[in-house]
C-alpha cells in the first residue's frame, strides 16, 4: 500500500475530527434519563440524537424495539464507513483491517440465522456491513439456499479456509461456537502481524490489539470458572498477548478466585486492568465481571489515546465506544420491551 499519506497531517486531521465525534456520544446522564423512560419516549429521544436520520427513514416501516434496533444497525454501519472514508494512508489500512471483525459477525449471523430458519429479511435487519464484505455481498449470501452454499460463496474471503475446515463439525454438532472461536483466533493472529509490515504506526496498533486480546482471555477465564469447566483448554484462548497459552491454561485451572487474580496480576502490566482485577475479589456475577473488564479496557484505550494523540488510538477509541453506545441502546430497548426495571437494565450497560 502506498504510504504517501503517512505524514503527520492526515493523523492530525482525522484524530481531531474523531475527538469531535466522540464528544457527541451519549453521556451517562442521558443513559440514566432513558432508564426512566418508556419505549416510545426512548424512540423519540434517540430520534433527536445522531440517529435521527435512520429513525426517520425507518419509522414508516418499523415500530417499537424493531425500529430502534434496525436504526442502530444502519447508523453503526454507515458511521464506520464514514470513518474509513475520512482516514488516509496507514490509518485507513488499520481501520479497515480492524473493522473486518464485522465480517465474522455478519457471516456467523447469516449461518446461524439460516440454520434456525429465520427469514432473509429478519437476518438482514441485524447485519452490520462495515467490513470487507459489503452490503451487496451480504445480500447475495442471504439468497443462498443452504449453509454449504453460503460457505462456498465465500471462497474469495480471506477467512474461507476456517469456514471450510469447521463447517462439517458445526452442522453435525448444531453449534457454530468452535468456528467462531477459530475465526477470531485467525483474525487476531493476522492483526498481530501488522508490526512486521513496516507500516508507520503499526506498533501502536499492535499494542491496542494485545490489550484487547488480554481482556478477552481474562473474560474467558472467568467464564470458564462460572461455568465450572472441569478441564481447561488452550483452544479457548487467543495467543499473542501478555500470557502464553500454557499460562492461560494453568491459570484457568485454578479454582480459587483470589489465586486467579494473583496469577493474572503477576503478568498484566496496565493499570486499569490491574485495578479491575483487584475489584473482582468481591463476589460478582459473570456479567458484572465482563462489564468491569470492558470498562478497564476502555480506560486504558483512553490513556493510550492521550499519550499518542495523533495515532491510531483516537480512531480505535471512537470505533469501540461507538460500538458500546449501540450495545447500550439495544440493551435499554430490549429491557424496556421486556418490562425490566431500570436498575436491572443498568447492570448490562457499559457506562
Amino acid at each position: 500500500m502506498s504510504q504517501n499519506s503517512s505524514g503527520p497531517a492526515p493523523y492530525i486531521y482525522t484524530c481531531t475530527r474523531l475527538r469531535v465525534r466522540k464528544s457527541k456520544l451519549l453521556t451517562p446522564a442521558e443513559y440514566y434519563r432513558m432508564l426512566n423512560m418508556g419505549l416510545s419516549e426512548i424512540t423519540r429521544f434517540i430520534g433527536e440524537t445522531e440517529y435521527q436520520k435512520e429513525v426517520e427513514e425507518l419509522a414508516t416501516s418499523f415500530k417499537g424495539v424493531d425500529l430502534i434496533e434496525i436504526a442502530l444497525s444502519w447508523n453503526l454501519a454507515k458511521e464506520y464507513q464514514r470513518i474509513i472514508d475520512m482516514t488516509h494512508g496507514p490509518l485507513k489500512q488499520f481501520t479497515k483491517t480492524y473493522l473486518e471483525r464485522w465480517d465474522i459477525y455478519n457471516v456467523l449471523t447469516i449461518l446461524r440465522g439460516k440454520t434456525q430458519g429465520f427469514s432473509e429479511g429478519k437476518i438482514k435487519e441485524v447485519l452490520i456491513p462495515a467490513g470487507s464484505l459489503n452490503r451487496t455481498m451480504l445480500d447475495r449470501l442471504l439468497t443462498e439456499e443452504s449453509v454449504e452454499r453460503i460457505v462456498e460463496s465465500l471462497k474469495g474471503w480471506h477467512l474461507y479456509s476456517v469456514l471450510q475446515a469447521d463447517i462439517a463439525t458445526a452442522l453435525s454438532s448444531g453449534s457454530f461456537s468452535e468456528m467462531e472461536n477459530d475465526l477470531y483466533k485467525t483474525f487476531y493472529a493476522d492483526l498481530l502481524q501488522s508490526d512486521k509490515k513496516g507500516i508507520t504506526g503499526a506498533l501502536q496498533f499492535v499494542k491496542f490489539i494485545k490489550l484487547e486480546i488480554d481482556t478477552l482471555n481474562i473474560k474467558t477465564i472467568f467464564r470458564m470458572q462460572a461455568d465450572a469447566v472441569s478441564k481447561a483448554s488452550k483452544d479457548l484462548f487467543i495467543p499473542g498477548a501478555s500470557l502464553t497459552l500454557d499460562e492461560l491454561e494453568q491459570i484457568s485451572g485454578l479454582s480459587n478466585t483470589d489465586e486467579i487474580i494473583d496469577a493474572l496480576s503477576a503478568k498484566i502490566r496496565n493499570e486499569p486492568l490491574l485495578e479491575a482485577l483487584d475489584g473482582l475479589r468481591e463476589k460478582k456475577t459473570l456479567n458484572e465481571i465482563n462489564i468491569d473488564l470492558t470498562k478497564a479496557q476502555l480506560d486504558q484505550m483512553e490513556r493510550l489515546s492521550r499519550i499518542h494523540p495523533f495515532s491510531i488510538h483516537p480512531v480505535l477509541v471512537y470505533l469501540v465506544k461507538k460500538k458500546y453506545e449501540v450495545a447500550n441502546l439495544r440493551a435499554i430497548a430490549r429491557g424496556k420491551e421486556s418490562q425490566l426495571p431500570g436498575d436491572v437494565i443498568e447492570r448490562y450497560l457499559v457506562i
Side-chain angles (χ1 to χ4, degrees), residues 6-290:
S6 61
Y11 280 77
I12 294 170
Y13 169 77
T14 303
C15 294
T16 301
R17 287 190 65 184
L18 285 176
R19 284 192 182 87
V20 173
R21 291 175 112 85
K22 184 161 73 77
S23 71
K24 295 179 181 179
L25 293 173
L26 295 173
T27 64
E30 288 172 314
Y31 286 124
Y32 292 130
R33 279 177 58 197
M34 280 187 279
L35 290 173
N36 294 312
M37 296 179 184
L39 193 58
S40 60
E41 292 175 293
I42 291 170
T43 304
R44 284 197 299 273
F45 179 84
I46 293 173
E48 295 170 357
T49 65
E50 297 298 305
Y51 303 91
Q52 180 179 7
K53 184 176 180 182
E54 289 78 20
V55 170
E56 290 177 351
E57 285 180 7
L58 293 162
T60 57
S61 302
F62 301 95
K63 301 295 178 188
V65 73
D66 288 337
L67 171 59
I68 293 173
E69 291 216 325
I70 299 168
L72 293 174
S73 295
W74 279 29
N75 178 276
L76 185 63
K78 287 192 286 187
E79 181 67 353
Y80 282 167
Q81 289 300 326
R82 283 191 285 264
I83 302 307
I84 291 172
D85 290 341
M86 79 166 63
T87 53
H88 302 278
L91 277 184
K92 183 183 287 290
Q93 183 166 339
F94 296 141
T95 302
K96 290 179 70 174
T97 302
Y98 183 70
L99 288 176
E100 285 177 2
R101 66 188 304 112
W102 290 101
D103 290 335
I104 298 175
Y105 164 82
N106 289 328
V107 168
L108 288 169
T109 298
I110 292 171
L111 291 173
R112 285 173 169 143
K114 286 285 188 177
T115 302
Q116 295 166 18
F118 287 106
S119 67
E120 292 177 20
K122 202 67 180 172
I123 300 170
K124 185 175 181 177
E125 288 174 5
V126 295
L127 299 180
I128 312 288
S132 62
L133 302 176
N134 60 28
R135 191 178 295 276
T136 301
M137 180 60 182
L138 295 175
D139 286 346
R140 187 155 70 84
L141 295 178
L142 286 169
T143 64
E144 297 293 352
E145 295 181 358
S146 68
V147 166
E148 292 86 352
R149 285 289 305 145
I150 292 170
V151 171
E152 284 305 299
S153 296
L154 287 163
K155 269 189 177 177
W157 188 38
H158 70 105
L159 293 176
Y160 168 73
S161 61
V162 180
L163 297 182
Q164 188 181 40
D166 290 355
I167 189 61
T169 301
L171 291 175
S172 63
S173 66
S175 171
F176 289 92
S177 296
E178 184 176 332
M179 177 186 286
E180 181 173 14
N181 196 41
D182 289 344
L183 285 168
Y184 280 111
K185 281 165 67 175
T186 305
F187 168 74
Y188 281 109
D190 290 344
L191 294 184
L192 289 171
Q193 295 302 307
S194 299
D195 63 345
K196 297 178 176 61
K197 297 175 182 177
I199 304 171
T200 304
L203 286 175
Q204 292 305 322
F205 181 62
V206 169
K207 182 180 287 189
F208 165 81
I209 297 305
K210 288 184 176 181
L211 168 65
E212 188 159 284
I213 292 172
D214 276 336
T215 307
L216 289 169
N217 283 335
I218 294 171
K219 287 179 179 180
T220 297
I221 288 173
F222 283 102
R223 187 180 74 245
M224 292 170 68
Q225 185 191 40
D227 293 343
V229 175
S230 58
K231 188 176 186 305
S233 172
K234 294 180 186 178
D235 293 338
L236 297 174
F237 298 107
I238 301 168
S242 299
L243 296 100
T244 66
L245 291 179
D246 286 337
E247 288 170 333
L248 288 163
E249 183 178 39
Q250 182 180 11
I251 294 171
S252 64
L254 299 171
S255 57
N256 182 281
T257 299
D258 285 338
E259 290 178 352
I260 290 174
I261 292 170
D262 289 339
L264 288 170
S265 297
K267 297 291 181 180
I268 300 297
R269 290 291 173 263
N270 78 71
E271 198 61 35
L273 269 183
L274 287 171
E275 291 173 4
L277 284 170
D278 197 51
L280 300 183
R281 295 184 191 278
E282 304 171 17
K283 190 172 175 132
K284 295 191 174 185
T285 66
L286 182 60
N287 179 68
E288 289 172 328
I289 290 171
N290 285 333

